[in-house]
Amino acid sequence: MLHLLQLEWLKWRRHRAFQIFMVAYAILLPAGLLLGKQLPDLPDPIGTTEVLFIFPTVWQYLSFVGNWVSFFLFGFLSIVMVTSEYSFKTVRQNIMTGLTRKQFLLGKIYLFGLLALLATLYYTVVALGIGYFHTDVIRWGKVWQNASYIPRYFLLCFGYMSFGLLVGFLVRRTGLALFLYFAYATIGELILRWGIHFQLIQNKTIHYYPIKSFSDLSPLPFQNLAEEFMRKEGFPLFLGQTEVFIVAIIYIALMIFLVFRRFLKVDL
């Protein structure tokens, strides 16, 4: 595992796109939340913008910002890291110089897991820093009240990268893969959910789609809106905490399985 990680790190550490995405993540995650200081007091259910920065709600709002940042940066990065291997013919080169196909794939998965872990650690540090700076009275229980968003955040980062990994290996062309990733996540899945669930089957299975399940790991932190949706539709707006973990893990495992199944069989 460490050997494969080292090979991937040596391959990508000086890659310009990799560096740009990492710097962008480091800047956009805290900046996206701190931009809330420029907003006036918001209407219900948020009210004052102070709630964005204090414990325990800072975990929720920073995670929501990170959800969007991770969707674009980590999803796009995973596609670039896969399709670039095909563009520069390094897939075949790696296989010819001693790696098996399985090792080649595992190196990518290990690196994505490490990036998701580092992104989560950074999210934790940023949340603690912003929360401590803006919360008047610091209590240990209050600080960690919503710390369940930490493992949620890891799963959403790894989930978006797993989806990008799958799209990258299926399509192999960077531009087309990026387009399909973005189109499915922003439009395609919405059309499927509207056509199937709002027209035919109106129940909570509307949430059991890959991008929806990943986004539900860090949903809109508007409790009143969620309760109103529950009263109107008869089922919750988001997956429950246990459900969302299970569904996200199943999709991640399924995507990785499909990547292995395709890559181990197709010609390079």
Side-chain angles (χ1 to χ4, degrees):
M1 176 179 176
L2 292 177
H3 175 63
L4 296 177
L5 266 177
Q6 184 180 28
L7 290 177
E8 287 294 320
W9 171 247
L10 291 173
K11 186 188 303 182
W12 294 103
R13 62 178 181 173
R14 295 184 179 178
H15 194 280
R16 183 60 57 87
F18 180 82
Q19 295 174 343
I20 290 173
F21 278 114
M22 292 299 99
V23 171
Y25 174 77
I27 295 173
L28 291 176
L29 181 64
L33 184 66
L34 293 174
L35 281 175
K37 290 188 173 183
Q38 306 302 317
L39 299 173
D41 283 346
L42 303 174
D44 290 335
I46 300 179
T48 176
T49 57
E50 183 184 32
V51 73
L52 303 177
F53 313 109
I54 61 174
F55 292 123
T57 50
V58 64
W59 296 103
Q60 298 168 263
Y61 288 100
L62 184 63
S63 181
F64 180 69
V65 171
N67 187 10
W68 285 96
V69 173
S70 299
F71 165 72
F72 284 103
L73 295 184
F74 289 127
F76 284 15
L77 176 62
S78 61
I79 290 174
V80 170
M81 293 176 71
V82 170
T83 55
S84 293
E85 298 275 13
Y86 287 102
S87 299
F88 296 110
K89 311 298 183 183
T90 50
V91 177
R92 183 172 296 181
Q93 181 182 347
N94 276 268
I95 303 302
M96 292 176 62
T97 53
L99 288 181
T100 65
R101 293 189 181 209
K102 181 178 178 181
Q103 287 175 323
F104 179 83
L105 281 179
L106 286 175
K108 287 282 184 290
I109 294 167
Y110 292 155
L111 180 61
F112 291 163
L114 178 62
L115 291 177
L117 178 61
L118 293 175
T120 304
L121 291 175
Y122 183 67
Y123 157 78
T124 304
V125 171
V126 171
L128 290 173
I130 293 176
Y132 272 109
F133 186 77
H134 292 89
T135 306
D136 294 331
V137 180
I138 304 296
R139 297 190 181 90
W140 183 259
K142 190 176 182 180
V143 169
W144 297 103
Q145 182 177 328
N146 287 333
S148 62
Y149 278 86
I150 296 175
R152 283 171 174 249
Y153 195 82
F154 171 82
L155 280 180
L156 75 86
C157 291
F158 195 46
Y160 289 136
M161 284 191 280
S162 298
F163 186 62
L165 178 76
L166 176 61
V167 174
F169 272 111
L170 289 176
V171 179
R172 299 187 179 187
R173 296 184 179 181
T174 304
L176 181 59
L178 291 172
F179 171 77
L180 291 176
Y181 171 90
F182 182 77
Y184 172 80
T186 57
I187 302 174
E189 201 167 274
L190 289 176
I191 293 174
L192 285 173
R193 290 167 58 204
W194 178 84
I196 295 174
H197 296 278
F198 280 101
Q199 305 302 315
L200 300 175
I201 310 170
Q202 194 168 3
N203 57 43
K204 69 181 298 182
T205 55
I206 192 174
H207 302 315
Y208 295 143
Y209 287 79
I211 298 301
K212 180 63 167 67
S213 65
F214 297 149
S215 65
D216 274 5
L217 288 162
S218 181
L220 281 166
F222 303 157
Q223 187 62 34
N224 291 353
L225 178 62
E227 291 173 354
E228 178 62 26
F229 185 89
M230 178 68 180
R231 286 193 295 269
K232 180 179 179 181
E233 303 295 340
F235 56 91
L237 180 60
F238 311 113
L239 288 173
Q241 182 165 314
T242 302
E243 287 178 302
V244 76
F245 271 98
I246 294 173
V247 174
I249 290 171
I250 289 174
Y251 270 121
I252 290 171
L254 178 61
M255 290 171 184
I256 292 174
F257 169 76
L258 292 175
V259 169
F260 268 95
R261 184 173 180 178
R262 176 172 176 80
F263 185 70
L264 294 180
K265 292 183 177 180
V266 299
D267 295 331
L268 299 179

